[in-house]
Amino acid sequence: MSALTGVGVSPGVGLGPAYVLAYRAPVPEPGSRHDGDAAAELAVAVRALERVATDLEERGARAGGEAAGILEAQAMMARDPGLAAGVAELIEAGTAAARAVHEAFGRYREVLAAAGGYLAARVADLDDVRDRAVAVIEGRPVPELPTGDGEPYVLVARDLAPADTALLSRDVVAAFVTEQGGPTSHTAILARAMGVPAVVACPGAASIPSGTPTLVDGTSGLVRTVPSGEDVLAARDADAARQAALSAVTGPGATADGYAVPLLANVGGPHDVAAALEHGAEGIGLYRTEFLFLDRAEAPSAAEQEAAYLEVLDAFPGGRVIVRALDAGADKPLAFLPPGEHEPNPALGERGVRLLRAHPEVLAAQLTALAAAAARSAGALRVMAPMVATAEEAAWFAAACDAAGLPAAGVMIEVPSAALRASDLAAHAGFLSVGTNDLTQYALAADRQLGALTGLQDAWQPAVLDLVALAAQGAAEHGRPCGVCGEAAADPALACVLVGLGATSLSMSAPALPAVRAALSRHTREQCVLAAGSARAATGPEDARAAARSHLPGLADLAL
């Protein structure tokens, strides 16, 4: 038996033979030329790209949930006008269709990789679209993962494209293990949504021989090959005990001494509501609306928007539904808006509230649709702005919401300046919501999709905890609530710490709700406060985690 260690990003235990995804798409021959009919050759390339886009959309529609939004965004890459223009230019110069697609995507790939941040994180998705289009042109099938009735397998790869995994289920795949990726990578997000154990950033994983019996613990991050019967039994017993303990805790979120902590779900649209209800969400803490706007030549109509908002609101009568205003820009460009100036670092450019200010008509239309939906529903609608950095931006957004008849306007705390001056923002906003994914990325200057920087992406970093505490304190000075809607809230131990830091609600992917509910129920608010203080006094994330857990003995009882 040998053991590898990575980052556990989706809890549970999976056992099965390793299926190592080692396929590398052939590269079209350099210098390959077409027969001189550029128009016909371009038609071949255009049809291939459209076929890939349609296939990705169909996969997303069948998968639903988080996968739908991710694959819709990937389909948009296949239809990107800039990429199409690059392909056409090369074909016009005589390059064969397959080679033209490969080279055009390669140029764009270099731009994305050099940009860093959000855009660099999309390189793997871009490569997948390129390879699928080239395969269509050359008449080659793209290898598909087994989906039959055999024994569930452990899928192992350097990294996984969303299209590879979107249609899998727990019945087919026992666990995911990747060498690359981080806690907020597409693999991690989809694994949590599917309820499949997953370990990412696991060096050496792709060297596991196919067929090797492999045991994956998505809680601890441990991957064992050829495990003993005792190892398997111990892992399964611990997981069964954890599941039983989690199932025993029901009802609204609260600490052991009765301090209420509403537990909410993060969703990408109506298709995620069923999972939120199934896992006991008390409302929606983050409704990502950008998936309504991406991959389309025209903005969604008022009726379409209103219907999408109303469906989610009606699912939680009397419960809060917090909608994030359109968060576009950077890795989420809008085809129906004129392109802005070139941004050498798009992650620090015109995105979020900055883009909304540049195109106020887009925000006005969205707020009007939200107000119309709220008027028809018993759900308690709240709206918040993404990527707010200054009090002036918070005041502008609050005024826009008020003009639309939406007084409950909040702002997200995703950049350090917002956390440091949270009191100034809270003077204008009705509530604050901490997005820990971006807050961690910007505070530590560490791309959240880059596996090599996993240690810096950790929300247990004491500097990040300090920023969350400042945000909660600033909100409290004005009597405003301050929730957390980043993936940090899905970590049961960290959820207790966040409550100790002053978070008034927690929102996460739906499958994480039971574990967080159970963890809170085993500890008093005072224990959470002590855990938070000890974590902030530490000098690194591992020390912070250990210090916090020393005040949270109930986690061991839950096998968390």
Side-chain angles (χ1 to χ4, degrees):
M1 181 186 69
S2 63
L4 301 173
T5 302
V7 178
V9 294
S10 184
V13 171
L15 173 67
Y19 183 94
V20 182
L21 185 62
Y23 171 78
R24 291 186 179 275
V27 176
E29 186 68 28
S32 56
R33 313 281 291 178
H34 59 72
D35 61 7
D37 190 343
E41 197 74 4
L42 179 58
V44 169
V46 169
R47 283 196 300 270
L49 289 167
E50 180 56 31
R51 178 174 165 182
V52 170
T54 300
D55 178 62
L56 290 169
E57 288 176 333
E58 290 175 351
R59 288 169 183 259
R62 293 199 301 273
E66 295 278 3
I70 292 172
L71 290 175
E72 285 170 9
Q74 199 177 6
M76 187 176 69
M77 290 180 168
R79 295 191 176 108
D80 184 273
L83 282 168
V87 172
E89 179 184 349
L90 287 165
I91 290 176
E92 191 65 33
T95 303
R99 185 66 194 181
V101 168
H102 184 84
E103 290 186 13
F105 274 67
R107 293 173 183 174
Y108 198 38
R109 186 187 198 281
E110 292 175 2
V111 173
L112 293 184
Y118 285 90
L119 292 179
R122 303 302 294 275
V123 165
D125 291 354
L126 187 71
D127 288 348
D128 185 52
V129 173
R130 176 201 65 198
D131 293 343
R132 289 174 182 276
V134 170
V136 171
I137 293 170
E138 296 183 340
R140 291 185 289 100
V142 176
E144 298 287 349
L145 293 169
T147 58
D149 299 325
E151 177 186 5
Y153 56 86
V154 173
L155 180 55
V156 182
R158 282 181 54 79
D159 204 355
L160 291 168
D164 290 329
T165 56
L167 299 181
L168 299 177
S169 69
R170 186 68 187 264
D171 295 331
V172 173
V173 63
F176 295 133
V177 182
T178 65
E179 287 194 347
Q180 300 178 352
T184 57
S185 66
H186 285 160
T187 299
I189 292 170
L190 291 178
R192 285 192 290 267
M194 295 163 59
V196 173
V199 174
V200 301
C202 185
S207 298
I208 296 174
S210 282
T212 303
T214 303
L215 178 68
V216 179
D217 188 333
T219 302
S220 68
L222 190 63
V223 178
R224 296 181 184 272
T225 57
V226 197
S228 67
E230 291 78 7
D231 288 323
V232 174
L233 184 61
R236 286 179 168 168
D237 284 348
D239 190 49
R242 184 179 69 90
Q243 293 296 340
L246 301 189
S247 300
V249 182
T250 59
T255 59
D257 53 341
Y259 177 70
V261 183
L263 299 180
L264 315 171
N266 299 338
V267 301
H271 45 69
D272 292 332
V273 166
L277 293 171
E278 176 188 350
H279 290 94
E282 299 169 55
I284 301 301
L286 172 62
Y287 182 167
R288 304 181 184 94
T289 60
E290 56 268 25
F291 297 128
L292 278 169
F293 294 80
L294 298 175
D295 189 27
R296 53 196 310 159
E298 296 180 355
S301 67
E304 181 183 353
Q305 288 194 57
E306 182 180 341
Y309 305 144
L310 183 61
E311 188 171 346
V312 177
L313 281 165
D314 282 348
F316 296 93
R320 79 184 75 173
V321 173
I322 302 177
V323 174
R324 181 174 69 187
L326 176 61
D327 184 15
D331 65 333
K332 295 174 284 190
L334 299 176
F336 57 84
L337 293 180
E341 64 179 284
H342 172 70
E343 296 181 353
N345 193 340
L348 302 180
E350 193 175 74
R351 56 170 299 211
V353 73
R354 300 169 188 174
L355 187 69
L356 295 176
R357 296 192 77 173
H359 301 280
E361 72 285 357
V362 174
L363 177 63
Q366 183 176 32
L367 296 181
T368 298
L370 283 164
R376 297 172 56 193
S377 176
L381 174 68
R382 300 182 182 181
V383 186
M384 62 183 178
M387 297 302 295
V388 171
T390 67
E392 191 272 334
E393 289 176 341
W396 176 85
F397 183 75
C401 289
D402 187 62
L406 295 167
V411 299
M412 293 195 71
I413 305 297
E414 300 171 276
V415 297
S417 66
L420 292 168
R421 306 294 296 194
S423 179
D424 294 343
L425 273 63
H428 302 285
F431 65 95
L432 306 183
S433 183
V434 181
T436 53
N437 298 351
D438 271 321
L439 184 61
T440 302
Q441 174 174 244
Y442 288 123
L444 278 300
D447 184 342
R448 70 192 211 189
Q449 297 280 354
L450 190 58
L453 300 180
T454 297
L456 292 176
Q457 297 158 359
D458 197 336
W460 280 98
Q461 287 280 356
V464 177
L465 302 181
D466 288 344
L467 292 172
V468 174
L470 285 172
Q473 178 183 332
E477 290 175 7
H478 295 272
R480 310 297 196 201
C482 179
V484 173
C485 64
E487 284 301 312
D491 177 337
L494 189 48
C496 293
V497 167
L498 293 170
V499 170
L501 294 174
T504 55
S505 66
L506 301 173
S507 188
M508 64 208 74
S509 55
L513 287 164
V516 171
R517 183 181 294 111
L520 290 175
S521 74
R522 295 295 182 98
H523 303 99
T524 65
R525 187 183 183 189
E526 180 60 25
Q527 285 176 300
C528 293
V529 170
L530 290 172
S534 294
R536 290 183 68 188
T539 57
E542 290 304 322
D543 291 342
R545 187 180 283 106
R549 291 182 70 93
S550 69
H551 296 285
L552 303 170
L555 295 176
D557 298 336
L558 296 167
L560 295 172

